[in-house]
């Protein structure tokens, strides 16, 4: 008994305790058999923990019995007291229910309840071969044995539950660690593909032998499933199986039903018979091939939306899914859904950023176009600028700009790039009615977008290739150029690659056409203005030549009249003739100015260069002015170096000095006018200074342009050509003219001339 107590104090399992108690108890009591039963948690049944000496059919019969069965064990449990039956006759008398075909297998029985703290936890039964009496010593021995047994069993139970708790804690710790790892791995994924890869890495083989993941795209389309199997060779059969399964049963069958319901599906184990009756022999055989011992499907839910469904499956008998596995899968599903959601947000942000960058880039390119166009003055320059930009910034492979002139019914090429010589020739003039896209665009005032060579040929079967060496496939955009309410031309651009124009490309090309149209319109107006100016200049040139001839004759007559002694001509008459002669001189000067203008315009201003002393020339001019100045009561002060030699045009120098001095007198309000001429190194500086009306700052540049006058025409006459001609002449001699002036304080004109004139125009 003491050795038994020592053995039982060691940590044993319930079965071990039962074994020890039975083997020791049977030997010590002289019993032939024994069994230990333990109360189930429901306290309504007893379950066999261990048995000894009974035939298997008896063991099977006693496997599980009701705790209140009308048997000795029932009485022992109910009364909490041992029951001793000394013979089969006594047994059958007291317990008629014990009479079964198998019984009796013993001659006497001792049944002792296993009682702890007033509770029956089970019972121990000893069976004896023959009928016998139980004396007090026998009874107290088995009761003590039962007492030791119950304590050991209780310890075993506690020990086992502690172990179970430890196992559970271990499992939950590992689940927690798994989820922590899943969170960390998934957090690092920036796109959906990476999320899927991470999920496969996490789930296979740790959670399942194979998995499928069905995900709906952002716009609700079900995407091809992500599949993985521990046995890579089974992935293809698995994919084929999935495809045919859903093709046969519809998109709402099996795991996909979770997409709608959001409710998990859980099959901890799937017996073969069940699989076969549910799917039929052929499909179930295919499932068995990839392995289908158990499966669970959980929804991927993020922000209240079901993004997909994850299925985990077991392909081996020893992987049996538990409710904990389902919880774990649901947790994992939530994390995967969140990662997919984040990846999509990230992707959307990236797309948005890319769009913004593209827009900024296009804006920049458009700025490039407008900058290039702002410098283009003629239609040709406009066309060149637009096509250069289209080739450089957009990668166009060829293109052309056409112009439609007012009243014309055909487009004319202004400029083209990369067209074959034959195409240039053929499309120099394109009637608006022609069945080609450029004419169509101009006629209908709508852009024509041709996505590919095939599209082009289908829509314009008569059109010929324009490009010298067209790439395999291309797309063409033809846009009308609309400005001032009408079509003024069209532009066509070809790009490599047969694909439809994107919305951004269309927008950009439309903007390009818009800018092109306005630049073209501007250049047309400029051209018209230039043409008008040319007409005017031609008129002026003809008019001044025509005026010069009668004027020369008139001057000759007056000079002759003054030269010949004419007694009939009184003093007064002579004075009048002199006056007329001066007016003719003035008229001649004006006509000369007009002639100079047309010479400059037509590039016929010729310089006759010779070695001259500028100071000497200036003295002569000043002397000519002295009389006029004296009569106007104005003084002219002249200072100069003694002699300044250089290569200049005599007549033009006189013209410049005359012009500046006469302006000084004209606008000088009667104050003295100063002329100074000095050598400055290789150059000579001529300045005229007056103290007259001065010039407003806004007019300082303008007065050097033709016909520009800052002063009142009525009071101070002139054509506004003098300074323009001066500047042309000065520049022709390689010099510069400038002015400094303050209103009502006076002006100072400065001319700097090289002494050796470099230019010969
Ligand atoms: P015009 O004297 O025939 O008008 P110019 O070309 O010589 O033509 O001069 C252009 C304009 O420049 C003049 O109309 C006048 O307004 C201004 N200007 C020229 N010289 C002077 C000056 N010395 N002081 C003030 N204004 C001047």
């Amino acid at each position: 008994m003491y050795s038994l107590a020592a053995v039982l104090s060691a940590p044993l399992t319930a079965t071990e305790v039962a074994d020890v108690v039975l083997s020791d108890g049977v030997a010590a009591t002289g019993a032939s058999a024994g069994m230990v039963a333990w109360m189930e948690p429901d306290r309504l049944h007893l379950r066999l923990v261990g048995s000894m000496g009974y035939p298997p059919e008896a063991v099977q019969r006693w496997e599980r019995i009701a705790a209140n069965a009308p048997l000795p064990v029932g009485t022992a449990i109910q009364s909490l007291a041992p029951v001793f039956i000394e013979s089969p006759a006594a047994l059958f008398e007291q317990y008629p229910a014990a009479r079964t075909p198998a019984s009796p297998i013993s001659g006497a029985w001792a049944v002792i309840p296993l009682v702890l703290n007033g509770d029956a936890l089970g019972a121990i039964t000893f069976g004896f071969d023959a009928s016998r009496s139980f004396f007090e010593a026998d009874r107290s021995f088995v009761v003590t044995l039962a007492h030791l047994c119950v304590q050991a069993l209780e310890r075993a139970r506690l020990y086992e539950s502690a172990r179970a708790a430890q196992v559970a804690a271990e499992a939950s710790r590992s689940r927690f660690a798994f989820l922590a790892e899943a969170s960390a791995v998934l957090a690092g994924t920036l796109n959906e593909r990476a999320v899927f890869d991470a999920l496969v890495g996490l789930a296979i083989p740790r959670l399942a032998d194979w998995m499928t993941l069905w995900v709906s795209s952002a716009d609700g389309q079900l995407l091809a499933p992500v599949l993985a199997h521990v046995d890579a060779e089974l992935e293809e059969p698995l994919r084929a199986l999935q495809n045919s399964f859903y093709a046969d049963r519809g998109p709402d069958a099996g795991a996909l039903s979770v997409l709608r319901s959001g409710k998990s599906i859980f099959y901890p184990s799937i017996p073969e018979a069940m699989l076969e009756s549910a799917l039929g022999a052929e499909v179930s055989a295919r499932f068995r091939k990839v392995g289908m011992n158990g499966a669970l499907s959980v929804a991927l839910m993020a922000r209240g939306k079901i993004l997909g469904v994850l299925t985990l499956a077991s392909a081996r008998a020893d992987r049996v899914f538990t409710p904990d596995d389902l919880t774990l899968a649901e947790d994992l599903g939530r994390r995967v859904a969140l990662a997919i959601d984040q990846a999509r947000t990230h992707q959307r942000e990236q797309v948005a950023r890319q769009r913004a960058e593209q827009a900024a880039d296009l804006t920049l390119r458009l700025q490039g176009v407008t900058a290039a166009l702002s410098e283009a003055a003629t239609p040709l320059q406009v066309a060149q600028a637009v096509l250069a930009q289209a080739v450089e910034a957009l990668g166009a492979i060829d293109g052309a700009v056409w112009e439609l002139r007012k009243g014309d019914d055909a487009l004319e090429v202004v400029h083209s790039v990369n067209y074959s010589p034959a195409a240039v020739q053929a499309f120099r003039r394109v009637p608006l009615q022609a069945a080609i896209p450029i004419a169509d665009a101009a006629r209908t005032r709508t852009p024509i977008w041709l996505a590919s060579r095939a599209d082009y040929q289908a829509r314009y079967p008569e059109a010929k290739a324009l490009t010298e060496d067209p790439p395999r496939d291309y797309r063409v955009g033809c846009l009308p150029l609309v400005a001032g309410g009408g079509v003024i031309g069209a532009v066509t651009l070809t790009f490599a690659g047969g694909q439809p124009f994107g919305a951004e490309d269309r927008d950009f090309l439309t903007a390009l056409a818009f800018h092109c149209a306005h630049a073209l319109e501007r250049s047309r107006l400029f051209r018209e203005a230039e043409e008008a100016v040319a007409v005017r200049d031609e008129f002026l040139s003809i008019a001044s030549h025509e005026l010069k001839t009668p004027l020369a004759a008139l001057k000759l007559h007056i000079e002759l009249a003054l030269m010949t002694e004419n007694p009939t001509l009184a003093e007064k008459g002579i004075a009048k003739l002199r006056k007329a002669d001066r007016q003719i001189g003035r008229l001649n000067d004006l006509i000369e100015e007009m002639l100079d203008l047309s010479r400059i315009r037509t590039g016929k201003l010729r310089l006759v260069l010779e070695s001259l002393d500028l100071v000497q020339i200036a003295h002569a001019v000043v002397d000519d002015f002295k009389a006029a100045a004296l009569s106007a009561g104005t003084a002219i002060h002249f200072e100069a170096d003694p002699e300044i030699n250089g290569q200049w045009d005599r007549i033009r120098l006189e013209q410049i000095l005359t012009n500046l001095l006469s302006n000084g007198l004209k606008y000088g309000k009667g104050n003295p006018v100063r002329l100074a001429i000095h050598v400055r190194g290789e150059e000579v500086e001529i300045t005229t200074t007056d103290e007259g009306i001065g010039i407003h700052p806004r007019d300082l540049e303008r007065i050097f342009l033709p016909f520009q006058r800052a002063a009142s025409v009525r009071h101070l006459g002139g054509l506004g050509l003098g300074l323009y001609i001066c500047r042309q002449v000065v520049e022709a001699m390689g010099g510069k003219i400038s002015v400094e002036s303050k209103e009502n304080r006076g002006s100072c004109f400065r001319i700097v001339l090289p002494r050796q004139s470099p230019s010969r125009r």
Side-chain angles (χ1 to χ4, degrees):
M1 183 66 76
Y2 290 110
S3 73
L4 179 65
V7 171
L8 287 179
S9 66
L12 300 171
T13 65
T15 323
E16 286 166 341
V17 170
D19 285 350
V20 170
V21 169
L22 286 175
S23 59
D24 275 36
V26 165
T29 56
S32 60
M35 59 175 76
V36 176
W38 197 245
M39 198 75 104
E40 286 191 343
D42 64 5
R43 302 209 147 260
L44 298 175
H45 294 90
L46 285 162
R47 177 170 290 279
L48 205 60
V49 187
S51 73
M52 193 177 174
Y54 283 106
E57 61 276 9
V59 171
Q60 207 174 344
R61 182 172 163 221
W62 300 112
E63 177 76 45
R64 188 168 181 258
I65 57 165
N68 61 357
L71 293 169
V73 69
T75 309
I77 292 286
Q78 302 303 315
S79 64
L80 302 180
V83 174
F84 296 97
I85 311 287
E86 298 190 333
S87 67
L91 177 69
F92 297 144
E93 189 193 321
Q94 287 173 52
Y95 298 97
R99 193 189 288 275
T100 66
S103 60
I105 51 162
S106 298
W109 296 266
V111 185
I112 313 100
L114 300 171
V115 180
L116 188 77
N117 303 328
D119 251 357
L121 301 184
I124 178 165
T125 302
F126 290 112
F128 298 86
D129 271 349
S131 301
R132 59 165 286 179
S133 297
F134 291 98
F135 300 105
E136 191 49 43
D138 299 328
R139 295 184 183 223
S140 74
F141 177 80
V142 289
V143 168
T144 309
L145 191 68
H147 192 62
L148 281 177
C149 177
V150 75
Q151 286 188 343
L153 278 175
E154 180 62 9
R155 251 200 326 276
R157 205 178 60 79
L158 288 176
Y159 172 69
E160 263 162 33
S161 72
R163 258 191 32 166
Q166 205 180 340
V167 168
E170 191 51 51
S172 85
R173 211 183 0 261
S174 92
R175 271 199 304 279
F176 183 77
F178 175 80
L179 287 177
E181 184 191 340
S183 301
V185 168
L186 291 170
T189 52
L190 287 181
N191 61 60
E192 282 178 61
R193 191 68 250 168
V195 174
F196 301 155
D197 290 348
L199 171 63
V200 169
L202 285 163
I204 307 295
R206 269 189 286 178
L207 299 187
D209 300 310
W210 58 262
M211 57 158 275
T212 61
L213 173 69
W214 292 87
V215 173
S216 308
S217 68
D219 52 8
Q221 294 289 328
L222 196 60
L223 306 173
V226 177
L227 297 166
H229 200 296
V230 269
D231 182 351
E233 288 190 354
L234 289 176
E235 277 179 8
E236 261 331 292
L238 177 61
R239 186 180 304 281
L241 178 57
Q242 293 282 323
N243 289 345
S244 66
F245 179 81
Y246 289 108
D248 286 352
R249 293 172 176 247
D252 220 11
L256 288 186
S257 66
V258 176
L259 277 182
R260 199 177 21 82
S261 70
K263 286 209 187 75
S264 304
I265 297 177
F266 184 40
Y267 292 113
S269 70
I270 305 174
E272 264 182 39
M274 177 176 142
L275 195 66
E276 194 167 327
S277 79
L279 302 178
E282 195 241 316
V283 177
S284 69
R286 290 173 69 190
F287 264 107
R288 266 201 306 281
K289 193 177 166 222
V290 295
M292 193 63 172
N293 290 329
L296 54 87
S297 298
V298 297
L300 303 190
M301 182 104 104
R303 293 195 288 172
K305 273 175 73 179
I306 299 174
L307 303 184
V309 52
L310 168 65
T311 298
L312 298 177
S314 153
R316 343 181 285 254
D318 61 343
R319 192 198 287 275
V320 177
F321 290 132
T322 65
D324 282 342
D325 291 328
L326 178 64
T327 312
L328 184 67
E330 286 170 343
D331 279 346
L332 179 63
R334 267 190 291 279
R335 282 166 171 76
V336 170
L338 210 69
I340 292 176
D341 189 53
Q342 274 168 358
R344 288 184 178 168
T345 309
H346 178 77
Q347 219 154 346
R348 269 197 302 277
E349 278 169 6
Q350 266 203 327
V351 168
R353 186 169 331 123
Q354 245 167 23
R355 290 235 171 94
E357 277 170 9
Q358 269 168 0
D361 184 45
L362 289 186
T363 313
L364 217 69
R365 289 194 213 165
L366 258 192
Q367 277 170 0
V369 172
T370 47
L373 285 177
S374 70
E375 280 165 23
T378 64
L380 176 63
Q381 285 167 345
V382 169
Q384 283 170 335
V386 165
L387 293 176
Q389 287 292 320
V391 169
E392 261 169 46
L394 301 178
I397 50 173
D398 71 36
V401 173
W402 274 270
E403 196 186 351
L404 180 66
R405 296 210 186 210
K406 277 194 194 101
D408 201 352
D409 59 358
L411 293 162
E412 273 189 44
V413 167
V414 182
H415 184 58
S416 67
V417 286
N418 288 347
Y419 277 15
S420 66
V424 171
Q425 192 53 35
F427 293 103
R428 219 172 31 80
R429 247 179 92 78
V430 172
L432 276 180
Q433 295 309 320
I436 63 169
I438 194 69
D440 235 7
R443 195 176 56 244
T444 60
R445 269 205 201 193
T446 21
I448 308 272
W449 308 105
L450 302 167
S452 61
R453 180 206 293 266
D455 188 19
Y456 195 134
Q457 284 169 354
R459 288 168 64 182
Y460 299 95
E462 289 164 35
K464 287 183 231 97
L466 299 172
T467 317
E468 177 91 55
D469 183 16
R472 285 242 317 262
D473 206 352
Y474 50 80
R475 55 191 192 282
V476 181
C478 296
L479 298 104
L481 298 176
V482 180
V487 175
I488 60 166
V491 57
T492 177
L493 292 169
T494 306
F495 299 88
Q499 76 220 33
F501 283 88
E504 271 152 29
D505 286 343
R506 291 180 186 215
D507 287 352
F508 184 76
L509 291 176
T510 307
L512 183 74
F514 173 85
H515 288 291
C516 177
H518 285 85
L520 192 63
E521 173 75 350
R522 223 172 35 237
S523 72
R524 279 158 63 126
L525 292 176
F526 182 73
R527 184 174 60 196
E528 281 166 21
E530 274 207 320
E531 281 165 3
V533 167
V535 169
R536 184 202 62 199
D537 286 349
E538 198 182 342
F539 167 77
L540 282 180
S541 151
I542 295 168
S544 22
H545 276 292
E546 290 303 312
L547 287 170
K548 266 201 94 117
T549 324
L551 202 62
L554 188 59
K555 193 172 167 64
L556 195 68
H557 283 303
I558 291 178
E559 274 167 7
L560 278 175
L562 282 172
M563 265 160 61
T564 30
E565 291 285 319
N566 191 337
T568 55
L569 211 59
E571 200 54 33
K572 248 185 175 171
I574 292 174
K576 283 214 168 111
L577 275 180
R578 290 233 156 81
K579 245 187 193 160
D581 192 35
R582 271 201 303 280
Q583 289 303 325
I584 286 172
R586 231 180 89 64
L587 198 53
N588 199 49
D589 287 348
L590 289 173
I591 291 171
E592 267 306 323
E593 277 189 349
M594 294 202 298
L595 272 174
D596 275 345
L597 173 75
S598 68
R599 281 185 196 117
I600 292 167
R601 291 284 197 185
T602 52
K604 287 183 192 146
L605 184 76
R606 300 257 179 269
L607 294 180
V608 183
L609 298 180
E610 55 185 315
S611 292
L612 300 171
D613 176 6
L614 175 57
V615 179
Q616 202 184 354
I617 292 171
H619 268 300
V621 173
V622 170
D623 281 346
D624 279 353
F625 265 98
K626 279 264 167 71
L630 213 62
S631 67
T634 309
I636 294 185
H637 302 292
F638 175 42
E639 59 164 88
D641 295 345
E643 186 185 309
I644 304 176
N645 291 309
Q647 289 273 324
W648 295 296
D649 180 318
R650 172 191 297 275
I651 309 282
R652 293 299 176 189
L653 280 183
E654 285 172 359
Q655 186 182 18
I656 291 167
L657 292 172
T658 306
N659 223 307
L660 293 185
L661 283 177
S662 73
N663 277 350
L665 292 177
K666 194 153 70 167
Y667 305 110
K669 294 201 293 195
N671 295 322
V673 177
R674 256 168 258 281
L675 170 65
I677 304 181
H678 296 286
V679 170
R680 303 273 183 249
E682 284 306 299
E683 294 170 331
V684 50
E685 182 190 69
I686 306 166
T687 53
T688 60
T689 315
D690 65 61
E691 294 157 23
I693 62 171
I695 302 160
H696 193 277
R698 77 165 168 256
D699 296 325
L700 285 175
E701 271 300 311
R702 192 166 69 84
I703 53 172
F704 291 103
L705 299 175
F707 308 114
Q708 297 296 322
R709 309 193 64 251
S712 142
V713 187
R714 222 146 51 81
H715 296 115
L716 305 156
L719 292 176
L721 284 174
L723 285 178
Y724 169 68
I725 293 165
C726 275
R727 182 185 181 159
Q728 299 299 317
V729 169
V730 166
E731 285 176 2
M733 290 195 282
K736 277 208 164 66
I737 181 165
S738 59
V739 63
E740 280 168 40
S741 181
K742 275 211 176 97
E743 266 191 304
N744 291 320
R745 302 288 281 281
S747 311
C748 173
F749 286 84
R750 171 173 288 105
I751 290 173
V752 178
L753 278 181
R755 293 168 69 186
Q756 296 295 327
S757 175
S759 103
R760 287 161 190 277
R761 287 214 289 184

